Structure formats: structure tokens, C-alpha cells
């Protein structure tokens, strides 16, 4: 029974109702002296409270997608892993980039991807715009926006909390964004800890997000060449990663949008360190809310003061809203428009891979 399974939620609700009913029926029937009855009744109260808390926790998790599986919740794994032996180590010879993306939900397709360069593996979800499958676009390649979730969370968080594909489709229909492919990879793949960078004893999270995931997507979908056709954006920890990846991998990403990012001064090769010590030809958007204590507007000021030409930083500021999905949902439409304006528009390009659908 999966963590986000509707059946699990029903079971928890039934358990909570049964706990209350049991307490009502048994409260006056507990035998024995007072010293026995008192702890028994306290136990009934505790069971009622615990079952109610579990129901609320399950409802909140199902709504916002903080944890996608039992492994995600309990720390038993950092991404979905295929137990087939061929995925336990990189295959010999040239990397095998052809991956089957199965239909998932809300127009997204999903695959378990093994990174031949990072050695990491995990979920990658892809959404293609309505134009992608139209006959007149059969030879057209599209720009790509890689979107990174926060922690706790998973790529599925963007479907449960904000229906990202619908937001993007509306921006395209209203002429506020060019048709683009959305790519939602896990930032905690099996074999690389969170941090979206390569570091000793922490795996190659940077290689996973800047090379392996783009290589697989480019091989299986009609994407424009990097860097002018690729951008990265994210929320919270994913926002921190978006800023870091754009600054650290300008040959892959031409722009990055960091919405409510974690502290950009923390961590090895932090965004602030990269802003001070490198001069990539990339543009950054830093989103913040004046009421968000975890990601205040001063983070954008730090980065804006640190970068040097040709790097640029554009602030996106809200006056209200905390560190939550409701606030990020208000940022996303404008952020998608900004990102789209920095990407190359869809165009006809000879297909280098015969496998690209």
C-alpha cells in the first residue's frame, strides 16, 4: 500500500473513527481499580489523537506531495530504483540513452533514468507542449525548462500542489511563453545526496542534473541545443540548485530562476561563491516574498551585488506570502514567462538522433 495511495487514506480515516467509537463504548467499562482505569483511559485518548494526526498528515502529504513513497519518508531511498541488474552499474561501452517514458498523469511521462556519468538513478518526468505532437511541428525542436522540487518533496509535488503542466499550457495559450518541454527530475537520485553538486562522499548530483538528465531527455525528445535552448528553475532547495546549476554549468543552462531559494551562501560551490568567483554568460531570476523568513529578499540582493558582467540578476518580489506552495504558485506564471523570454524559440533543426520521437 503506497504512502500516497487513496486506500491508505481510507484505512487511516476508518482507524480514526474506530478509535473514537471504541473510546466512547469502552470508557465506562474499563475494569479494575482507579490506578488501572486511569492509564487505560489515557491510552484511549492517545490512540484517538494519534489516529487523527495520521489522517491530517496523510491529507496534507497527498495535497502537497512532501513525501512520494515510504522510502522517501523513512530515508530508505532517494529515488525510485529499478532492481534489474543492468541498472546497477553503468553499461559497458557507449552510454545507453534510449529510455522508455511511460504515460503518468496530467500529460506527463515518467521514466526511471540511470545516469551513466554520475552513476545515480531516479525518476525523471517530462511534459511536452500541445504543439509537440502536431503534424506541422514534426521537424521542430523545442526549448527545455528543467524544474527542480524542494525538500521534502519529489517531482510529483508539482502535479499535486500546482498542476504545473496546466500553468505552462495557459502561459503558452496566452502568448506569455513559447512552447517548451518541462523536465522534472528528482534532485535526490539514488547514488547522490541532496546538494546538486559533485562532492566527495556525496555523489555527483551536479553531473546528474547538468549532464545525465539533459543527455537522456535530448536523446528521447526533440530538444533545442544547449545552452540557448535550456534553462533551469526551482523552488526552495530546488531554487538554490537552479541558481547553482546556472552559474556552474553555463554550457548547459542559459538562464536560471530560483524561487524562494535556500541560503545562497551555504554549501560547497554555493551560488554566492560562484557569483563572486565566476563570470558566466547567464541570467538569473531570484524570487522572494517579504514575509518569507526562510528566503528573504536580501538573498537576491546578495547575488545581485556579487555578480559581474555578463551575469545578471533580476529580482521577483512579492509583498505577502510565506514559504509555501501557495506563494510559489503565484510566482510561477511570471517566472515561466521570464524564463521563456531568455530561451531560443522552437525552430526546425535537423534531428541528430533517429530515436527522438
Amino acid at each position: 500500500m503506497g504512502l500516497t495511495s487513496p486506500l491508505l487514506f481510507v484505512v487511516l480515516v476508518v482507524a480514526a473513527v474506530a478509535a473514537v467509537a471504541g473510546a466512547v463504548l469502552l470508557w465506562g467499562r474499563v475494569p479494575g481499580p482507579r490506578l488501572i482505569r486511569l492509564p487505560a483511559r489515557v491510552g484511549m485518548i492517545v490512540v484517538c489523537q494519534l489516529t487523527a494526526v495520521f489522517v491530517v498528515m496523510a491529507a496534507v502529504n497527498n495535497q502537497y506531495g512532501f513525501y512520494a513513497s515510504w522510502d522517501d519518508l523513512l530515508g530508505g531511498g532517494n529515488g525510485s530504483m529499478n532492481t534489474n541488474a543492468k541498472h546497477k552499474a553503468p553499461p559497458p561501452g557507449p552510454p545507453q540513452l534510449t529510455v522508455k517514458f511511460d504515460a503518468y498523469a496530467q500529460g506527463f511521462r515518467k521514466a526511471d533514468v540511470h545516469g551513466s556519468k554520475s552513476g545515480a538513478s531516479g525518476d525523471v518526468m517530462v511534459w511536452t507542449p500541445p504543439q509537440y505532437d502536431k503534424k506541422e511541428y514534426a521537424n521542430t525542436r523545442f526549448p527545455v525548462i528543467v524544474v527542480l522540487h524542494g525538500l521534502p518533496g519529489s517531482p510529483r509535488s508539482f502535479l499535486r500542489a500546482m498542476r504545473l503542466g496546466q500553468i505552462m499550457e495557459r502561459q503558452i495559450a496566452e502568448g506569455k511563453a513559447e512552447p517548451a518541454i518541462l523536465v522534472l527530475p528528482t534532485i535526490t537520485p539514488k547514488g547522490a545526496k541532496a546538494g546538486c553538486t559533485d562532492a566527495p562522499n556525496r555523489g555527483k548530483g551536479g553531473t546528474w542534473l547538468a549532464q545525465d538528465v539533459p543527455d537522456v531527455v535530448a536523446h528521447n525528445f526533440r530538444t533545442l541545443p544547449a545552452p540557448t535552448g535550456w534553462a533551469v528553475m526551482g523552488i526552495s532547495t530546488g531554487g538554490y540548485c537552479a541558481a547553482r546549476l546556472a552559474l556552474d554549468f553555463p554550457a548547459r543552462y542559459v538562464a536560471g530562476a530560483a524561487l524562494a531559494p535556500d541560503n545562497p551562501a551555504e554549501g560547497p560551490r554555493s551560488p554566492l561563491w560562484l557569483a563572486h568567483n565566476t563570470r558566466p554568460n547567464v541570467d538569473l531570476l531570484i524570487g522572494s516574498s517579504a514575509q518569507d523568513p526562510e528566503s528573504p529578499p536580501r538573498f537576491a540582493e546578495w547575488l545581485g551585488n556579487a555578480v559581474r558582467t555578463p551575469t545578471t540578476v533580476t529580482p521577483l518580489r512579492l509583498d505577502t506570502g510565506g514559504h509555501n506552495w501557495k506563494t510559489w504558485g503565484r510566482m510561477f506564471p511570471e517566472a515561466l514567462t521570464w524564463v521563456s523570454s531568455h530561451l531560443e524559440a522552437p525552430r526546425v533543426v535537423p534531428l541528430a538522433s533517429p530515436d527522438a520521437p
Side-chain angles (χ1 to χ4, degrees), residues 3-332:
L3 180 62
T4 59
S5 167
L7 179 58
L8 175 63
F9 183 72
V10 171
V11 169
L12 291 174
V13 171
V14 171
V17 173
V20 173
V24 171
L25 293 173
L26 300 175
W27 189 267
R29 302 182 182 181
V30 179
R34 183 176 181 180
L35 289 178
I36 298 297
R37 296 197 307 271
L38 181 61
R41 289 170 176 169
V42 170
M44 293 180 193
I45 295 173
V46 171
V47 171
C48 290
Q49 290 179 330
L50 284 176
T51 53
V53 167
F54 289 151
V55 169
V56 173
M57 291 173 64
V60 171
N61 187 65
N62 288 346
Q63 175 67 28
Y64 295 107
F66 292 123
Y67 297 97
S69 65
W70 292 109
D71 279 344
D72 194 12
L73 174 65
L74 302 174
N78 291 321
S80 66
M81 181 177 66
N82 192 324
T83 55
N84 191 311
K86 70 178 181 180
H87 289 292
K88 292 183 178 179
Q96 303 300 311
L97 298 178
T98 301
V99 176
K100 185 176 185 290
F101 282 80
D102 296 317
Y104 181 63
Q106 298 180 23
F108 281 85
R109 287 175 263 184
K110 183 168 74 75
D112 181 44
V113 172
H114 178 84
S116 60
K117 296 177 181 177
S118 67
S121 60
D123 284 345
V124 177
M125 296 170 56
V126 175
W127 178 90
T128 54
Q131 293 80 0
Y132 189 89
D133 294 318
K134 292 183 177 179
K135 184 182 296 186
E136 59 267 35
Y137 288 88
N139 296 315
T140 298
R141 286 181 173 267
F142 292 82
V144 180
I145 304 174
V146 177
V147 187
L148 307 177
H149 61 86
L151 295 177
S154 74
R156 282 165 279 193
S157 302
F158 288 106
L159 281 65
R160 293 181 178 275
M162 67 168 58
R163 295 185 174 270
L164 181 57
Q166 293 182 13
I167 295 176
M168 186 64 187
E169 188 168 350
R170 185 167 59 248
Q171 293 298 102
I172 295 170
E174 294 176 357
K176 296 178 180 178
E178 294 284 353
I181 296 170
L182 301 179
V183 176
L184 280 57
T186 177
I187 66 171
T188 55
K190 186 71 175 180
K193 295 183 179 179
C196 54
T197 190
D198 296 354
N201 302 318
R202 295 187 65 83
K204 296 183 177 181
T207 298
W208 162 257
L209 292 170
Q211 297 184 48
D212 286 331
V213 170
D215 285 351
V216 168
V217 172
H219 187 78
N220 291 278
F221 295 88
R222 301 193 310 274
T223 67
L224 285 172
T228 56
W230 289 70
V232 60
M233 63 189 299
I235 56 167
S236 193
T237 302
Y240 173 96
C241 289
R244 170 186 271 171
L245 290 165
L247 291 168
D248 211 9
F249 296 93
R252 167 55 60 188
Y253 299 114
V254 72
L259 307 183
D262 292 350
N263 189 336
E266 295 181 349
R269 294 188 72 80
S270 69
L272 192 59
W273 185 90
L274 290 165
H276 276 296
N277 293 280
T278 64
R279 301 178 66 174
N281 186 19
V282 298
D283 298 308
L284 295 179
L285 175 75
I286 310 297
S288 60
S289 168
Q291 293 183 330
D292 184 354
E294 296 186 45
S295 187
R298 67 173 178 272
F299 288 176
E301 296 173 5
W302 293 354
L303 290 167
N305 292 333
V307 299
R308 295 171 294 166
T309 305
T311 313
T312 68
V313 172
T314 300
L316 169 61
R317 176 169 172 167
L318 300 180
D319 293 329
T320 61
H323 200 75
N324 55 56
W325 280 102
K326 185 176 180 180
T327 302
W328 305 330
R330 292 162 55 201
M331 293 180 180
F332 249 86

